[in-house]
Amino acid sequence: METVLVTGAAGFIGSNLTKTLLEEGYRVIGVDNFDDTYNPQFKEEQIAPFLGDTNFVLYRVDIRDIPALTEVFETEKPSYVVHLAGKADTRKAVDTPRLYTSVNIDGTLNILELCREYPVENLVIASSSSVYGNSSQVPFTEDQPADRPISPYGATKRAIELLAYSYHHNFGMNITCLRFFNAHGENNRPGMVPYIWTEKLLHGEEIEISGDGSRKRDYTYVGDIVRGIILAMKKPFGFEVINLGNNTPVSLNELLAIFEKVLDRKAKVKSRPSHGASVEVTCADVSKAKRMLDWTPTTSLEEGITRLVVWFRASRFTQ
Ligand SMILES: NC(=O)c1ccc[n+]([C@@H]2O[C@H](COP(=O)([O-])OP(=O)(O)OC[C@H]3O[C@@H](n4cnc5c(N)ncnc54)[C@H](O)[C@@H]3O)[C@@H](O)[C@H]2O)c1
């Protein structure tokens, strides 16, 4: 049985990944510090289903705590590491940049160092579409310049890609950085638009649309992202950066129409100013993922939003 260490295992993508890995017969070591970026109780609920599984071990460890993290590697000697732990809010990063560099960059450096000390077959690192900033070259391809992120968050993600390359170069480590594009689905992170709208619309509350609603996002179903992570994990390439997106950008206005259809109700909407650290459009070119991982997204946005709503009603909805 192969052992996968998943950092950020209690989070949105991490809990979905943990579920699938356990279903596929892997032993999973979860590392998470249940930070308070959003309600830690949500993370407790997301990890709870695995706690009784003999193939799952949880370490409540901060990735910046080098002795504690070293102990995890020394004890578990994982075959693979999927590094998802991090601070992920584009806008909050503008106000708390030190926190973002500390967790995202220093934390990732600790993972790189430990994967060097305790060699793994492959290390997969969560990067982000935010590395592309406000690039007008759409769809975004992995080889276009990504040196103008507009949030410190995007800058930390680009920085860890660069650090990762240097570890590949100097120590021959297999590392794949995956640039995720706007995940949505079960266990959705609360700060994200699909979650906020689900909550508000189910309560009959007014929702806010930034600007004129024309801002576009390449919403990608979390199950598709999880499939891509596992495919990438099992295929060491040396070093690669690969987009995992939907290649179908949708405006906020179009997203709203999907919500109204799924929920069969008309939304009350008000406009608010766009945040300066929010990009105008994200759109992934996914031909590299197709070519190298044989991965394509298969879940339509309407299906993904339907699953998000079903999950929210069952798990988070309170009258
Ligand atoms: N969700 C998306 O659309 C998206 C898009 C691009 C990139 N990403 C990246 O994917 C990863 C997972 O994102 P998510 O949406 O699941 O976010 P999330 O916030 O739900 O998950 C991150 C997890 O990391 C944990 N964590 C934070 N700081 C930690 C620390 N110092 N030590 C240990 N654990 C810590 C948190 O408690 C949380 O459970 C992140 O690195 C994020 O930047 C996500």
Side-chain angles (χ1 to χ4, degrees):
M1 184 178 272
E2 290 181 304
T3 299
V4 185
L5 190 153
V6 178
T7 71
F12 167 29
I13 298 173
S15 56
N16 279 286
L17 174 66
T18 298
K19 179 172 183 283
T20 304
L21 285 171
L22 289 170
E23 284 166 0
E24 293 190 2
Y26 291 95
R27 181 164 181 270
V28 180
I29 310 304
V31 169
D32 206 298
N33 73 340
F34 295 78
D35 83 338
D36 62 359
T37 305
Y38 58 87
N39 188 348
Q41 185 54 36
F42 290 167
K43 300 174 193 179
E44 297 288 353
E45 290 165 14
Q46 286 162 187
I47 209 75
F50 318 126
L51 295 178
D53 192 320
T54 49
N55 291 328
F56 181 72
V57 184
L58 175 66
Y59 288 87
R60 292 174 183 270
V61 162
D62 190 313
I63 55 167
R64 291 166 296 175
D65 181 343
I66 296 173
L69 196 58
T70 305
E71 186 62 33
V72 176
F73 276 77
E74 173 63 33
T75 308
E76 304 294 348
K77 311 239 172 30
S79 309
Y80 302 100
V81 172
V82 180
H83 174 43
L84 304 173
K87 293 278 186 191
D89 189 309
T90 311
R91 289 183 239 165
K92 284 185 186 160
V94 176
D95 301 321
T96 54
R98 283 185 210 285
L99 187 57
Y100 276 69
T101 57
S102 159
V103 174
N104 292 0
I105 300 180
D106 295 347
T108 300
L109 185 60
N110 295 339
I111 297 292
L112 287 164
E113 279 286 289
L114 285 166
C115 289
R116 169 160 86 106
E117 200 177 331
Y118 299 90
V120 296
E121 286 175 40
N122 203 6
L123 164 61
V124 175
I125 295 180
S127 185
S128 165
S129 58
S130 357
V131 301
Y132 294 109
N134 253 336
S135 172
S136 55
Q137 193 184 320
V138 177
F140 302 151
T141 54
E142 293 85 346
D143 55 3
Q144 77 188 60
D147 53 6
R148 292 281 186 276
I150 62 169
S151 160
Y153 166 69
T156 65
K157 289 294 176 180
R158 186 68 183 122
I160 65 179
E161 291 179 355
L162 301 175
L163 263 179
Y165 179 76
S166 75
Y167 272 71
H168 159 71
H169 175 81
N170 287 304
F171 309 114
M173 288 163 54
N174 288 310
I175 306 173
T176 302
C177 299
L178 297 175
R179 293 176 175 167
F180 303 148
F181 283 65
N182 299 89
H184 68 279
E186 294 87 348
N187 296 356
N188 212 109
R189 179 146 48 81
M192 304 177 82
V193 165
Y195 184 101
I196 297 169
W197 286 10
T198 303
E199 184 168 42
K200 292 214 178 282
L201 289 169
L202 285 177
H203 285 103
E205 292 170 15
E206 189 175 63
I207 62 164
E208 292 185 339
I209 285 202
S210 81
D212 62 1
S214 62
R215 212 180 64 192
K216 289 188 171 184
R217 291 286 178 274
D218 200 11
Y219 298 103
T220 312
Y221 177 59
V222 68
D224 284 333
I225 288 184
V226 162
R227 193 164 41 81
I229 294 172
I230 297 173
L231 285 168
M233 180 187 95
K234 289 194 292 199
K235 273 197 160 183
F237 292 120
F239 180 84
E240 290 294 343
V241 173
I242 303 176
N243 288 337
L244 290 186
N246 212 36
N247 192 233
T248 313
V250 165
S251 71
L252 288 167
N253 290 328
E254 289 164 330
L255 180 67
L256 183 61
I258 290 173
F259 266 100
E260 290 182 329
K261 184 173 173 208
V262 168
L263 292 169
D264 192 23
R265 66 182 68 173
K266 195 84 192 129
K268 287 176 272 177
V269 181
K270 80 168 177 199
S271 177
R272 69 166 164 77
S274 286
H275 192 283
S278 289
V279 300
E280 285 309 312
V281 61
T282 64
C283 176
D285 181 314
V286 290
S287 50
K288 185 170 178 183
K290 170 74 186 146
R291 193 172 69 249
M292 300 201 74
L293 304 175
D294 195 20
W295 178 89
T296 43
T298 56
T299 311
S300 71
L301 182 53
E302 187 174 324
E303 175 63 23
I305 296 298
T306 303
R307 291 184 194 188
L308 164 58
V309 169
V310 167
W311 162 77
F312 190 95
R313 275 202 165 106
S315 311
R316 295 277 165 86
F317 188 57
T318 44
Q319 289 290 354

